[in-house]
Amino acid sequence: MLELSVNSKSPAAIAAALKKIHEMSMTGAIEKNTPIHITLEAGLYRESVRYNLSNPLIIEGSSHIKAKDCVIQADNCEAFRKGVANRSVFSIGPNVTSITIRNLSIINTHTKSIMEGNTLRDSAEALAWDNDSGVLKVEGVHLEGRQNTLYVRGMSWFKDCYISGDTDFIYGEPVTAFLENCTVHVREDNRGDFNGYAVMCRASADNKGFVFSDCTFTADKRRKSKLFVYRTAGKGSATTKRDWDSVAFVNCTMSDLFEQELVWDDDMNLDVYPRGNAMTGIREYNTRVVNADGVSEPADTALRNVKTYSLTEDDYFNGYASRYLILKNTPFEEKS
């Protein structure tokens, strides 16, 4: 394993370290499968980072600091640099085989400027996992942005993370994106009193999509606008294998600020596809609602969108009752 230690005193210090690794790989100084371990000292790293090598990578804040003390930060968006790989603060490309990110913060400081609604120009990811073949594990990481904070494809596992944004800020086309014991916070919109949406999924057919287990959903209160845990893009259908709505909320706690409908579909003007079932669609189990006084009670699901599905006890114990069951038949199975 190649060990590197990086501090924030030099401009673009992380990018320089990754450039060094790339050069070593190209010249044969290290093999293309040599594991890399980068330790970041406390500090503010004002740069955008892109990793797209086959070398397995672990990048983490030093063990003696907190995630908030090690920050990778930039102001980036689609209006500045086009494409998810270029507008993200930390972008991971399709050649990556394995990457672990731990104990640090990734913040996209971009504030939205387009007042007409949610536009592509204001897309501004903090972390983008643009990869269908490798595996991503993120643990104890603080992700902050506004629109499109976290983008994922393929296989990923987030544990003990904090993720915030205001619009579709956890989204993508995952095979399985497992979020365990994470806090998901819908923050205020810097433009004013706009609706807030946490999750949007466009999974391929029959994939689990996003699975939230023991997660907490919180929000900043709106004056008149509404807050939704999930928003459909309305593009899925029986005639396509793309853009399916697929998300599971298992043993999650949600603020009572969120609409009881759970899902925004433009007042039934958009398709929510497929209808929820034990394996795909929008499904939930044992959701609890907490009020401003911290009082928690079982969610009243009577007003849920009609396309959602409440997992049965059999469904839960057959597929969601443990980390092992959720990650079964994935590259993470042996680690679960």
Side-chain angles (χ1 to χ4, degrees):
M1 177 178 288
L2 175 63
E3 299 272 1
L4 295 174
S5 181
V6 176
N7 64 62
S8 61
K9 295 178 181 179
S10 300
I14 302 172
L18 295 178
K19 181 180 179 181
K20 178 180 179 181
I21 294 167
H22 180 262
E23 291 172 350
M24 294 175 71
S25 177
M26 292 299 99
T27 60
I30 60 172
E31 300 293 331
K32 295 186 183 297
N33 61 353
T34 298
I36 310 296
H37 184 200
I38 297 177
T39 302
L40 304 180
E41 296 301 324
L44 177 59
Y45 297 81
R46 295 183 181 275
E47 57 181 303
S48 293
V49 176
R50 177 167 172 77
Y51 187 69
N52 194 28
L53 298 178
S54 59
N55 300 79
L57 173 66
I58 297 173
I59 181 169
E60 60 183 335
S62 179
S63 60
H64 64 275
I65 64 174
K66 298 179 180 179
K68 67 179 182 180
D69 298 325
C70 180
V71 181
I72 304 171
Q73 178 178 299
D75 180 354
N76 204 359
C77 69
E78 178 72 15
F80 300 162
R81 298 179 180 86
K82 296 185 183 299
V84 68
N86 301 311
R87 67 186 184 225
S88 307
V89 174
F90 198 128
S91 175
I92 306 162
N95 294 328
V96 173
T97 57
S98 174
I99 181 169
T100 299
I101 305 172
R102 291 195 294 246
N103 192 37
L104 53 82
S105 298
I106 306 172
I107 301 174
N108 195 326
T109 60
H110 178 69
T111 55
K112 296 193 289 188
S113 59
I114 309 300
M115 296 303 296
E116 289 78 8
N118 306 310
T119 69
L120 176 62
R121 285 173 56 83
D122 273 326
S123 294
E125 288 79 2
L127 177 63
W129 170 237
D130 193 12
N131 184 296
D132 289 316
S133 58
V135 291
L136 165 70
K137 185 173 183 183
V138 182
E139 186 171 359
V141 169
H142 180 111
L143 299 173
E144 183 179 323
R146 290 196 175 274
Q147 184 173 312
N148 307 139
T149 303
L150 171 63
Y151 171 71
V152 296
R153 301 176 63 90
M155 310 294 286
S156 57
W157 178 3
F158 295 79
K159 187 174 184 294
D160 302 327
C161 294
Y162 176 92
I163 309 167
S164 73
D166 59 28
T167 304
D168 306 336
F169 62 91
I170 299 176
Y171 84 110
E173 303 90 40
V175 174
T176 299
F178 178 42
L179 291 92
E180 179 184 17
N181 195 36
C182 294
T183 296
V184 177
H185 181 72
V186 184
R187 63 191 298 199
E188 85 292 343
D189 193 306
N190 68 272
R191 302 168 302 170
D193 193 34
F194 286 73
N195 283 358
Y197 315 95
V199 185
M200 176 184 280
C201 185
R202 295 183 176 181
S204 297
D206 300 321
N207 287 326
K208 282 185 177 180
F210 288 103
V211 179
F212 294 84
S213 178
D214 297 287
C215 292
T216 301
F217 289 79
T218 62
D220 293 334
K221 188 175 183 179
R222 299 299 197 264
R223 292 189 297 275
K224 294 182 180 179
S225 297
K226 296 181 178 180
L227 293 160
F228 294 88
V229 172
Y230 185 86
R231 177 161 80 145
T232 183
K235 296 180 180 297
S237 74
T239 61
T240 178
K241 296 294 185 181
R242 300 183 61 185
D243 298 324
W244 283 23
D245 294 294
S246 194
V247 60
F249 302 101
V250 181
N251 296 322
C252 291
T253 301
M254 300 177 182
S255 167
D256 65 355
L257 295 174
F258 290 103
E259 295 296 307
Q260 291 187 60
E261 186 181 5
L262 193 71
V263 178
W264 180 92
D265 63 359
D266 195 19
D267 294 329
M268 302 293 286
N269 290 318
L270 298 175
D271 290 329
V272 181
Y273 189 87
R275 182 178 287 272
N277 57 75
M279 293 303 298
T280 59
I282 301 167
R283 53 220 189 268
E284 66 178 313
Y285 178 84
N286 190 35
T287 303
R288 297 189 66 84
V289 174
V290 62
N291 64 23
D293 295 325
V295 178
S296 173
E297 60 183 11
D300 180 358
T301 59
L303 296 179
R304 292 293 197 241
N305 186 291
V306 296
K307 293 294 186 72
T308 66
Y309 174 75
S310 293
L311 295 165
T312 67
E313 292 290 310
D314 284 344
D315 295 334
Y316 174 70
F317 285 106
N318 286 333
Y320 300 91
S322 69
R323 180 190 298 161
Y324 171 78
L325 288 172
I326 294 170
L327 295 177
K328 190 176 181 180
N329 299 323
T330 77
F332 293 116
E333 182 174 0
E334 292 183 0
K335 301 178 182 180
S336 63

PDB file of all heavy atoms in Angstrom, residues 171-199:
ATOM      1  N   TYR A 171     -29.748  11.820  -5.074  1.00  0.00           N
ATOM      2  CA  TYR A 171     -30.389  11.395  -6.320  1.00  0.00           C
ATOM      3  C   TYR A 171     -29.438  10.547  -7.151  1.00  0.00           C
ATOM      4  O   TYR A 171     -28.256  10.423  -6.845  1.00  0.00           O
ATOM      5  CB  TYR A 171     -30.861  12.615  -7.115  1.00  0.00           C
ATOM      6  CG  TYR A 171     -29.787  13.254  -7.980  1.00  0.00           C
ATOM      7  CD1 TYR A 171     -29.848  13.169  -9.367  1.00  0.00           C
ATOM      8  CD2 TYR A 171     -28.712  13.942  -7.418  1.00  0.00           C
ATOM      9  CE1 TYR A 171     -28.871  13.757 -10.164  1.00  0.00           C
ATOM     10  CE2 TYR A 171     -27.742  14.525  -8.200  1.00  0.00           C
ATOM     11  CZ  TYR A 171     -27.822  14.438  -9.583  1.00  0.00           C
ATOM     12  OH  TYR A 171     -26.849  15.005 -10.369  1.00  0.00           O
ATOM     13  N   GLY A 172     -29.972   9.950  -8.201  1.00  0.00           N
ATOM     14  CA  GLY A 172     -29.136   9.194  -9.119  1.00  0.00           C
ATOM     15  C   GLY A 172     -29.820   7.970  -9.670  1.00  0.00           C
ATOM     16  O   GLY A 172     -31.041   7.824  -9.599  1.00  0.00           O
ATOM     17  N   GLU A 173     -28.984   7.070 -10.217  1.00  0.00           N
ATOM     18  CA  GLU A 173     -29.467   5.838 -10.839  1.00  0.00           C
ATOM     19  C   GLU A 173     -28.769   4.653 -10.169  1.00  0.00           C
ATOM     20  O   GLU A 173     -28.012   3.920 -10.824  1.00  0.00           O
ATOM     21  CB  GLU A 173     -29.182   5.844 -12.338  1.00  0.00           C
ATOM     22  CG  GLU A 173     -29.774   7.024 -13.095  1.00  0.00           C
ATOM     23  CD  GLU A 173     -28.836   8.216 -13.151  1.00  0.00           C
ATOM     24  OE1 GLU A 173     -27.619   8.031 -13.323  1.00  0.00           O
ATOM     25  OE2 GLU A 173     -29.331   9.344 -13.008  1.00  0.00           O
ATOM     26  N   PRO A 174     -28.982   4.448  -8.884  1.00  0.00           N
ATOM     27  CA  PRO A 174     -28.255   3.390  -8.177  1.00  0.00           C
ATOM     28  C   PRO A 174     -28.785   2.000  -8.471  1.00  0.00           C
ATOM     29  O   PRO A 174     -29.977   1.812  -8.718  1.00  0.00           O
ATOM     30  CB  PRO A 174     -28.495   3.753  -6.704  1.00  0.00           C
ATOM     31  CG  PRO A 174     -29.847   4.391  -6.700  1.00  0.00           C
ATOM     32  CD  PRO A 174     -29.908   5.179  -7.983  1.00  0.00           C
ATOM     33  N   VAL A 175     -27.882   1.009  -8.422  1.00  0.00           N
ATOM     34  CA  VAL A 175     -28.311  -0.385  -8.319  1.00  0.00           C
ATOM     35  C   VAL A 175     -28.749  -0.613  -6.879  1.00  0.00           C
ATOM     36  O   VAL A 175     -29.901  -0.941  -6.602  1.00  0.00           O
ATOM     37  CB  VAL A 175     -27.177  -1.341  -8.726  1.00  0.00           C
ATOM     38  CG1 VAL A 175     -27.575  -2.792  -8.471  1.00  0.00           C
ATOM     39  CG2 VAL A 175     -26.824  -1.139 -10.193  1.00  0.00           C
ATOM     40  N   THR A 176     -27.815  -0.411  -5.940  1.00  0.00           N
ATOM     41  CA  THR A 176     -28.141  -0.345  -4.517  1.00  0.00           C
ATOM     42  C   THR A 176     -27.298   0.753  -3.893  1.00  0.00           C
ATOM     43  O   THR A 176     -26.066   0.735  -3.984  1.00  0.00           O
ATOM     44  CB  THR A 176     -27.836  -1.675  -3.794  1.00  0.00           C
ATOM     45  OG1 THR A 176     -28.628  -2.717  -4.356  1.00  0.00           O
ATOM     46  CG2 THR A 176     -28.160  -1.559  -2.312  1.00  0.00           C
ATOM     47  N   ALA A 177     -27.960   1.726  -3.291  1.00  0.00           N
ATOM     48  CA  ALA A 177     -27.296   2.751  -2.493  1.00  0.00           C
ATOM     49  C   ALA A 177     -27.851   2.608  -1.085  1.00  0.00           C
ATOM     50  O   ALA A 177     -29.010   2.941  -0.828  1.00  0.00           O
ATOM     51  CB  ALA A 177     -27.560   4.139  -3.051  1.00  0.00           C
ATOM     52  N   PHE A 178     -27.046   2.078  -0.186  1.00  0.00           N
ATOM     53  CA  PHE A 178     -27.471   1.775   1.176  1.00  0.00           C
ATOM     54  C   PHE A 178     -27.025   2.898   2.097  1.00  0.00           C
ATOM     55  O   PHE A 178     -25.829   3.178   2.224  1.00  0.00           O
ATOM     56  CB  PHE A 178     -26.859   0.446   1.615  1.00  0.00           C
ATOM     57  CG  PHE A 178     -27.183   0.037   3.025  1.00  0.00           C
ATOM     58  CD1 PHE A 178     -28.447   0.179   3.544  1.00  0.00           C
ATOM     59  CD2 PHE A 178     -26.192  -0.514   3.835  1.00  0.00           C
ATOM     60  CE1 PHE A 178     -28.739  -0.212   4.849  1.00  0.00           C
ATOM     61  CE2 PHE A 178     -26.463  -0.916   5.131  1.00  0.00           C
ATOM     62  CZ  PHE A 178     -27.748  -0.747   5.647  1.00  0.00           C
ATOM     63  N   LEU A 179     -27.982   3.565   2.740  1.00  0.00           N
ATOM     64  CA  LEU A 179     -27.683   4.635   3.686  1.00  0.00           C
ATOM     65  C   LEU A 179     -28.106   4.176   5.069  1.00  0.00           C
ATOM     66  O   LEU A 179     -29.287   3.930   5.316  1.00  0.00           O
ATOM     67  CB  LEU A 179     -28.402   5.929   3.303  1.00  0.00           C
ATOM     68  CG  LEU A 179     -27.863   6.581   2.011  1.00  0.00           C
ATOM     69  CD1 LEU A 179     -28.661   6.095   0.803  1.00  0.00           C
ATOM     70  CD2 LEU A 179     -27.900   8.093   2.092  1.00  0.00           C
ATOM     71  N   GLU A 180     -27.130   4.035   5.960  1.00  0.00           N
ATOM     72  CA  GLU A 180     -27.339   3.445   7.268  1.00  0.00           C
ATOM     73  C   GLU A 180     -27.019   4.456   8.367  1.00  0.00           C
ATOM     74  O   GLU A 180     -25.927   5.030   8.405  1.00  0.00           O
ATOM     75  CB  GLU A 180     -26.428   2.219   7.410  1.00  0.00           C
ATOM     76  CG  GLU A 180     -26.518   1.517   8.742  1.00  0.00           C
ATOM     77  CD  GLU A 180     -25.523   0.371   8.861  1.00  0.00           C
ATOM     78  OE1 GLU A 180     -24.567   0.324   8.053  1.00  0.00           O
ATOM     79  OE2 GLU A 180     -25.691  -0.466   9.753  1.00  0.00           O
ATOM     80  N   ASN A 181     -27.992   4.685   9.229  1.00  0.00           N
ATOM     81  CA  ASN A 181     -27.799   5.568  10.380  1.00  0.00           C
ATOM     82  C   ASN A 181     -27.296   6.945   9.949  1.00  0.00           C
ATOM     83  O   ASN A 181     -26.401   7.523  10.575  1.00  0.00           O
ATOM     84  CB  ASN A 181     -26.832   4.934  11.385  1.00  0.00           C
ATOM     85  CG  ASN A 181     -26.874   5.611  12.739  1.00  0.00           C
ATOM     86  OD1 ASN A 181     -27.934   6.034  13.193  1.00  0.00           O
ATOM     87  ND2 ASN A 181     -25.727   5.724  13.386  1.00  0.00           N
ATOM     88  N   CYS A 182     -27.877   7.473   8.902  1.00  0.00           N
ATOM     89  CA  CYS A 182     -27.497   8.791   8.398  1.00  0.00           C
ATOM     90  C   CYS A 182     -28.554   9.830   8.786  1.00  0.00           C
ATOM     91  O   CYS A 182     -29.718   9.494   9.000  1.00  0.00           O
ATOM     92  CB  CYS A 182     -27.351   8.764   6.877  1.00  0.00           C
ATOM     93  SG  CYS A 182     -25.994   7.732   6.270  1.00  0.00           S
ATOM     94  N   THR A 183     -28.138  11.077   8.854  1.00  0.00           N
ATOM     95  CA  THR A 183     -29.056  12.196   9.029  1.00  0.00           C
ATOM     96  C   THR A 183     -29.192  12.915   7.693  1.00  0.00           C
ATOM     97  O   THR A 183     -28.187  13.302   7.085  1.00  0.00           O
ATOM     98  CB  THR A 183     -28.559  13.178  10.096  1.00  0.00           C
ATOM     99  OG1 THR A 183     -28.520  12.510  11.360  1.00  0.00           O
ATOM    100  CG2 THR A 183     -29.479  14.387  10.197  1.00  0.00           C
ATOM    101  N   VAL A 184     -30.435  13.082   7.251  1.00  0.00           N
ATOM    102  CA  VAL A 184     -30.737  13.745   5.986  1.00  0.00           C
ATOM    103  C   VAL A 184     -31.500  15.023   6.325  1.00  0.00           C
ATOM    104  O   VAL A 184     -32.593  14.961   6.899  1.00  0.00           O
ATOM    105  CB  VAL A 184     -31.576  12.835   5.073  1.00  0.00           C
ATOM    106  CG1 VAL A 184     -31.947  13.565   3.787  1.00  0.00           C
ATOM    107  CG2 VAL A 184     -30.815  11.539   4.769  1.00  0.00           C
ATOM    108  N   HIS A 185     -30.927  16.157   5.983  1.00  0.00           N
ATOM    109  CA  HIS A 185     -31.519  17.435   6.395  1.00  0.00           C
ATOM    110  C   HIS A 185     -31.869  18.291   5.182  1.00  0.00           C
ATOM    111  O   HIS A 185     -31.000  18.622   4.366  1.00  0.00           O
ATOM    112  CB  HIS A 185     -30.568  18.207   7.301  1.00  0.00           C
ATOM    113  CG  HIS A 185     -31.129  19.507   7.779  1.00  0.00           C
ATOM    114  ND1 HIS A 185     -32.137  19.588   8.715  1.00  0.00           N
ATOM    115  CD2 HIS A 185     -30.843  20.794   7.429  1.00  0.00           C
ATOM    116  CE1 HIS A 185     -32.449  20.844   8.932  1.00  0.00           C
ATOM    117  NE2 HIS A 185     -31.678  21.609   8.161  1.00  0.00           N
ATOM    118  N   VAL A 186     -33.156  18.671   5.085  1.00  0.00           N
ATOM    119  CA  VAL A 186     -33.602  19.591   4.038  1.00  0.00           C
ATOM    120  C   VAL A 186     -33.458  21.005   4.584  1.00  0.00           C
ATOM    121  O   VAL A 186     -34.192  21.415   5.486  1.00  0.00           O
ATOM    122  CB  VAL A 186     -35.060  19.324   3.632  1.00  0.00           C
ATOM    123  CG1 VAL A 186     -35.451  20.243   2.463  1.00  0.00           C
ATOM    124  CG2 VAL A 186     -35.254  17.869   3.239  1.00  0.00           C
ATOM    125  N   ARG A 187     -32.519  21.744   4.032  1.00  0.00           N
ATOM    126  CA  ARG A 187     -32.223  23.086   4.537  1.00  0.00           C
ATOM    127  C   ARG A 187     -33.081  24.129   3.833  1.00  0.00           C
ATOM    128  O   ARG A 187     -33.780  23.843   2.854  1.00  0.00           O
ATOM    129  CB  ARG A 187     -30.735  23.393   4.352  1.00  0.00           C
ATOM    130  CG  ARG A 187     -30.290  23.410   2.909  1.00  0.00           C
ATOM    131  CD  ARG A 187     -28.781  23.444   2.753  1.00  0.00           C
ATOM    132  NE  ARG A 187     -28.194  24.641   3.332  1.00  0.00           N
ATOM    133  CZ  ARG A 187     -26.975  25.087   3.021  1.00  0.00           C
ATOM    134  NH1 ARG A 187     -26.224  24.424   2.140  1.00  0.00           N
ATOM    135  NH2 ARG A 187     -26.492  26.176   3.577  1.00  0.00           N
ATOM    136  N   GLU A 188     -33.030  25.342   4.327  1.00  0.00           N
ATOM    137  CA  GLU A 188     -33.768  26.427   3.701  1.00  0.00           C
ATOM    138  C   GLU A 188     -33.246  26.670   2.288  1.00  0.00           C
ATOM    139  O   GLU A 188     -32.096  26.346   1.965  1.00  0.00           O
ATOM    140  CB  GLU A 188     -33.652  27.692   4.549  1.00  0.00           C
ATOM    141  CG  GLU A 188     -32.397  28.533   4.298  1.00  0.00           C
ATOM    142  CD  GLU A 188     -31.092  27.871   4.740  1.00  0.00           C
ATOM    143  OE1 GLU A 188     -31.148  26.896   5.530  1.00  0.00           O
ATOM    144  OE2 GLU A 188     -30.018  28.316   4.291  1.00  0.00           O
ATOM    145  N   ASP A 189     -34.082  27.229   1.440  1.00  0.00           N
ATOM    146  CA  ASP A 189     -33.683  27.594   0.079  1.00  0.00           C
ATOM    147  C   ASP A 189     -33.181  29.027   0.108  1.00  0.00           C
ATOM    148  O   ASP A 189     -33.860  29.919   0.615  1.00  0.00           O
ATOM    149  CB  ASP A 189     -34.880  27.454  -0.870  1.00  0.00           C
ATOM    150  CG  ASP A 189     -34.483  27.505  -2.326  1.00  0.00           C
ATOM    151  OD1 ASP A 189     -33.804  28.478  -2.729  1.00  0.00           O
ATOM    152  OD2 ASP A 189     -34.855  26.582  -3.081  1.00  0.00           O
ATOM    153  N   ASN A 190     -31.980  29.249  -0.406  1.00  0.00           N
ATOM    154  CA  ASN A 190     -31.404  30.591  -0.313  1.00  0.00           C
ATOM    155  C   ASN A 190     -32.186  31.634  -1.117  1.00  0.00           C
ATOM    156  O   ASN A 190     -32.051  32.832  -0.895  1.00  0.00           O
ATOM    157  CB  ASN A 190     -29.937  30.595  -0.771  1.00  0.00           C
ATOM    158  CG  ASN A 190     -29.753  30.327  -2.253  1.00  0.00           C
ATOM    159  OD1 ASN A 190     -29.655  29.171  -2.658  1.00  0.00           O
ATOM    160  ND2 ASN A 190     -29.691  31.363  -3.076  1.00  0.00           N
ATOM    161  N   ARG A 191     -33.071  31.184  -2.025  1.00  0.00           N
ATOM    162  CA  ARG A 191     -33.830  32.125  -2.858  1.00  0.00           C
ATOM    163  C   ARG A 191     -35.119  32.585  -2.197  1.00  0.00           C
ATOM    164  O   ARG A 191     -35.746  33.545  -2.652  1.00  0.00           O
ATOM    165  CB  ARG A 191     -34.164  31.477  -4.197  1.00  0.00           C
ATOM    166  CG  ARG A 191     -32.967  31.003  -4.991  1.00  0.00           C
ATOM    167  CD  ARG A 191     -33.398  30.118  -6.136  1.00  0.00           C
ATOM    168  NE  ARG A 191     -34.152  28.966  -5.641  1.00  0.00           N
ATOM    169  CZ  ARG A 191     -34.819  28.119  -6.426  1.00  0.00           C
ATOM    170  NH1 ARG A 191     -34.822  28.296  -7.729  1.00  0.00           N
ATOM    171  NH2 ARG A 191     -35.459  27.094  -5.898  1.00  0.00           N
ATOM    172  N   GLY A 192     -35.583  31.852  -1.154  1.00  0.00           N
ATOM    173  CA  GLY A 192     -36.855  32.206  -0.537  1.00  0.00           C
ATOM    174  C   GLY A 192     -37.638  30.973  -0.149  1.00  0.00           C
ATOM    175  O   GLY A 192     -37.071  29.905   0.097  1.00  0.00           O
ATOM    176  N   ASP A 193     -38.970  31.108  -0.128  1.00  0.00           N
ATOM    177  CA  ASP A 193     -39.848  30.054   0.375  1.00  0.00           C
ATOM    178  C   ASP A 193     -40.260  29.102  -0.749  1.00  0.00           C
ATOM    179  O   ASP A 193     -41.365  29.206  -1.289  1.00  0.00           O
ATOM    180  CB  ASP A 193     -41.075  30.686   1.029  1.00  0.00           C
ATOM    181  CG  ASP A 193     -41.873  29.687   1.848  1.00  0.00           C
ATOM    182  OD1 ASP A 193     -41.262  28.785   2.431  1.00  0.00           O
ATOM    183  OD2 ASP A 193     -43.106  29.804   1.868  1.00  0.00           O
ATOM    184  N   PHE A 194     -39.361  28.181  -1.094  1.00  0.00           N
ATOM    185  CA  PHE A 194     -39.623  27.190  -2.136  1.00  0.00           C
ATOM    186  C   PHE A 194     -39.853  25.821  -1.500  1.00  0.00           C
ATOM    187  O   PHE A 194     -39.375  25.545  -0.401  1.00  0.00           O
ATOM    188  CB  PHE A 194     -38.440  27.095  -3.101  1.00  0.00           C
ATOM    189  CG  PHE A 194     -38.307  28.251  -4.052  1.00  0.00           C
ATOM    190  CD1 PHE A 194     -37.858  29.488  -3.602  1.00  0.00           C
ATOM    191  CD2 PHE A 194     -38.636  28.108  -5.390  1.00  0.00           C
ATOM    192  CE1 PHE A 194     -37.725  30.551  -4.472  1.00  0.00           C
ATOM    193  CE2 PHE A 194     -38.512  29.163  -6.274  1.00  0.00           C
ATOM    194  CZ  PHE A 194     -38.062  30.396  -5.812  1.00  0.00           C
ATOM    195  N   ASN A 195     -40.567  24.938  -2.210  1.00  0.00           N
ATOM    196  CA  ASN A 195     -40.706  23.555  -1.749  1.00  0.00           C
ATOM    197  C   ASN A 195     -39.328  22.909  -1.582  1.00  0.00           C
ATOM    198  O   ASN A 195     -38.387  23.239  -2.304  1.00  0.00           O
ATOM    199  CB  ASN A 195     -41.509  22.725  -2.752  1.00  0.00           C
ATOM    200  CG  ASN A 195     -42.997  22.982  -2.667  1.00  0.00           C
ATOM    201  OD1 ASN A 195     -43.465  23.763  -1.839  1.00  0.00           O
ATOM    202  ND2 ASN A 195     -43.756  22.324  -3.516  1.00  0.00           N
ATOM    203  N   GLY A 196     -39.240  21.953  -0.654  1.00  0.00           N
ATOM    204  CA  GLY A 196     -38.004  21.208  -0.451  1.00  0.00           C
ATOM    205  C   GLY A 196     -38.214  19.730  -0.705  1.00  0.00           C
ATOM    206  O   GLY A 196     -39.262  19.171  -0.365  1.00  0.00           O
ATOM    207  N   TYR A 197     -37.216  19.080  -1.326  1.00  0.00           N
ATOM    208  CA  TYR A 197     -37.300  17.659  -1.672  1.00  0.00           C
ATOM    209  C   TYR A 197     -35.972  16.988  -1.317  1.00  0.00           C
ATOM    210  O   TYR A 197     -34.907  17.463  -1.702  1.00  0.00           O
ATOM    211  CB  TYR A 197     -37.558  17.462  -3.164  1.00  0.00           C
ATOM    212  CG  TYR A 197     -38.629  18.357  -3.750  1.00  0.00           C
ATOM    213  CD1 TYR A 197     -38.295  19.558  -4.370  1.00  0.00           C
ATOM    214  CD2 TYR A 197     -39.973  17.997  -3.684  1.00  0.00           C
ATOM    215  CE1 TYR A 197     -39.263  20.377  -4.919  1.00  0.00           C
ATOM    216  CE2 TYR A 197     -40.951  18.817  -4.231  1.00  0.00           C
ATOM    217  CZ  TYR A 197     -40.592  20.008  -4.844  1.00  0.00           C
ATOM    218  OH  TYR A 197     -41.563  20.824  -5.379  1.00  0.00           O
ATOM    219  N   ALA A 198     -36.042  15.862  -0.622  1.00  0.00           N
ATOM    220  CA  ALA A 198     -34.808  15.198  -0.196  1.00  0.00           C
ATOM    221  C   ALA A 198     -34.273  14.217  -1.239  1.00  0.00           C
ATOM    222  O   ALA A 198     -33.113  14.289  -1.625  1.00  0.00           O
ATOM    223  CB  ALA A 198     -35.027  14.479   1.131  1.00  0.00           C
ATOM    224  N   VAL A 199     -35.095  13.277  -1.701  1.00  0.00           N
ATOM    225  CA  VAL A 199     -34.613  12.133  -2.481  1.00  0.00           C
ATOM    226  C   VAL A 199     -35.327  12.063  -3.825  1.00  0.00           C
ATOM    227  O   VAL A 199     -36.546  12.285  -3.920  1.00  0.00           O
ATOM    228  CB  VAL A 199     -34.849  10.810  -1.724  1.00  0.00           C
ATOM    229  CG1 VAL A 199     -34.223   9.635  -2.487  1.00  0.00           C
ATOM    230  CG2 VAL A 199     -34.296  10.880  -0.308  1.00  0.00           C
TER     231      VAL A 199
END
